Amino acid sequence: MSINDKPIVELVQLKERDVSGLIALSSSIKWDYNENEIKTILSSGKIFGHKNVEGKVVSSAAVIPYDSSLASIGMVIVDQRFRGMGLGNEVIKKCIGEVSTDTTIMLIATEEGIPIYKKLGFQSVDSIYKFICTDYTALPKPVNDNEFIIDEFSDEHLTEIITLDEAAFGGNRSRFLMNRIRQSEKCFVAKDKQGNILGYGLSILGPVNLVLGPIVAPNSEIALLLVQQLSAKYQGNLRIDVISGHEQFMRILEKSGFVKQNQPPIMVNSVTMPVRNQTLFAVAAQIFG
């Protein structure tokens, strides 16, 4: 059924019952969202999308509002057969409308999405570097083991992790972090001799890669120690998305077998990014900013 030869679609909020449809949509463009990832998105924010008359999900976009005046948009996908209808523009606008007008919205753009985001008032302010590793080689530890301790996460660490992450990310995202830690394969904290937490790192097991991030650390040496712990004994592919400005960290990743795949821009709907203290080495995932 169509009007003027255009398929009839309806923009709706997507729920947990739509997880399988979202997985199929992401697979159609070779993105590797799985059930656990989508449930974390749903528990941290909202997903909107279009459905056709048969109830099939043919577009999507998610908005993740954080506890401060900051939000992230991602998972922007339109089924190949439904492109050219303005569905991407419509679903992104729906996400933008879910937060207040004084909220800074950030996103990591695909090359195809950049023109749409520019028309909606977004501009590039930074970039990230996507790295994939198919054969990881752990290099000699960059710092003395006696200086720092890498410890497994426990609930008593949560308050300090949230505080560290807020300064690193530029906004408080406590609800998301709690959801992400529950989803994680591993979570480690880095401590000094006095037991003070200096940084943390997570790994998320996906259908294709073990994703390393977020990683927050005071320097590249401790960030690399976290990478080594998160990667230990894992035999499959690794992925890490590194924030620009950490060239030394990236050089050592490359020596360990990581290969840069692309460099997508970070875009925001305001003049500048939120203030960050340069301790965010790797993002959680591109959807989360």
Side-chain angles (χ1 to χ4, degrees):
M1 182 178 181
S2 64
I3 297 174
N4 296 329
D5 296 325
K6 289 186 178 181
I8 293 176
V9 294
E10 180 183 9
L11 179 59
V12 297
Q13 183 175 346
L14 301 175
K15 302 289 188 178
E16 193 165 329
R17 62 179 175 269
D18 299 302
V19 167
S20 61
L22 285 164
I23 292 172
L25 179 64
S26 69
S27 296
S28 72
I29 61 167
K30 296 182 169 50
W31 286 5
D32 56 349
Y33 284 96
N34 63 9
E35 181 176 353
N36 289 336
E37 187 78 344
I38 293 171
K39 285 183 176 179
T40 293
I41 296 166
L42 287 169
S43 61
S44 304
K46 295 179 180 180
I47 305 177
F48 298 95
H50 292 87
K51 290 185 175 183
N52 66 7
V53 290
E54 289 83 25
K56 179 182 178 181
V57 178
V58 298
S59 80
S60 70
V63 57
I64 316 294
Y66 297 120
D67 298 346
S68 54
S69 297
L70 180 62
S72 180
I73 287 177
M75 203 182 186
V76 180
I77 309 170
V78 178
D79 187 302
Q80 182 71 40
R81 292 163 292 183
F82 289 80
R83 294 180 182 176
M85 297 172 56
L87 303 189
N89 186 71
E90 187 176 1
V91 74
I92 294 166
K93 284 183 175 179
K94 178 64 177 176
C95 288
I96 292 171
E98 287 296 306
V99 298
S100 65
T101 55
D102 61 350
T103 296
T104 296
I105 303 173
M106 60 184 300
L107 56 88
I108 298 172
T110 61
E111 186 175 346
E112 298 83 0
I114 291 173
I116 297 175
Y117 300 130
K118 284 184 175 179
K119 288 180 181 179
L120 292 172
F122 288 83
Q123 55 187 310
S124 299
V125 293
D126 204 344
S127 61
I128 66 164
Y129 297 79
K130 174 185 172 182
F131 286 88
I132 298 291
C133 180
T134 58
D135 187 15
Y136 177 69
T137 301
L139 299 179
K141 292 184 178 179
V143 293
N144 192 324
D145 285 351
N146 296 325
E147 296 180 15
F148 304 101
I149 300 169
I150 303 297
D151 198 5
E152 290 188 7
F153 168 82
S154 67
D155 289 343
E156 66 186 24
H157 300 143
L158 183 60
T159 300
E160 288 183 79
I161 284 178
I162 290 171
T163 300
L164 286 172
D165 186 81
E166 182 172 4
F169 182 73
N172 186 302
R173 51 179 183 169
S174 55
R175 180 175 65 164
F176 161 69
L177 279 179
M178 289 186 284
N179 291 332
R180 198 62 164 175
I181 290 169
R182 282 193 289 268
Q183 183 193 351
S184 66
E185 185 78 3
K186 294 179 182 178
C187 180
F188 290 106
V189 295
K191 299 178 179 178
D192 63 17
K193 290 181 180 178
Q194 290 72 42
N196 300 308
I197 295 179
L198 306 174
Y200 79 95
L202 303 180
S203 64
I204 304 295
L205 185 60
V208 178
N209 306 302
L210 181 71
V211 179
L212 310 180
I215 292 177
V216 171
N219 54 54
S220 60
E221 289 81 8
I222 293 176
L224 288 160
L225 282 178
L226 289 165
V227 167
Q228 290 179 2
Q229 288 292 325
L230 294 168
S231 306
K233 298 181 181 180
Y234 184 73
Q235 299 299 314
N237 295 345
L238 303 171
R239 172 175 174 172
I240 187 168
D241 292 80
V242 182
I243 296 285
S244 67
H246 297 299
E247 284 71 21
Q248 179 185 2
F249 179 68
M250 288 188 276
R251 283 195 296 270
I252 300 176
L253 287 178
E254 290 174 330
K255 290 179 181 179
S256 299
F258 284 87
V259 177
K260 187 175 78 170
Q261 303 292 304
N262 55 36
Q263 185 182 339
I266 300 174
M267 305 183 77
V268 296
N269 66 337
S270 60
V271 176
T272 59
M273 280 277 287
V275 176
R276 295 178 168 183
N277 66 0
Q278 304 301 312
T279 60
L280 181 63
F281 280 77
V283 301
Q286 293 190 14
I287 184 173
F288 300 115

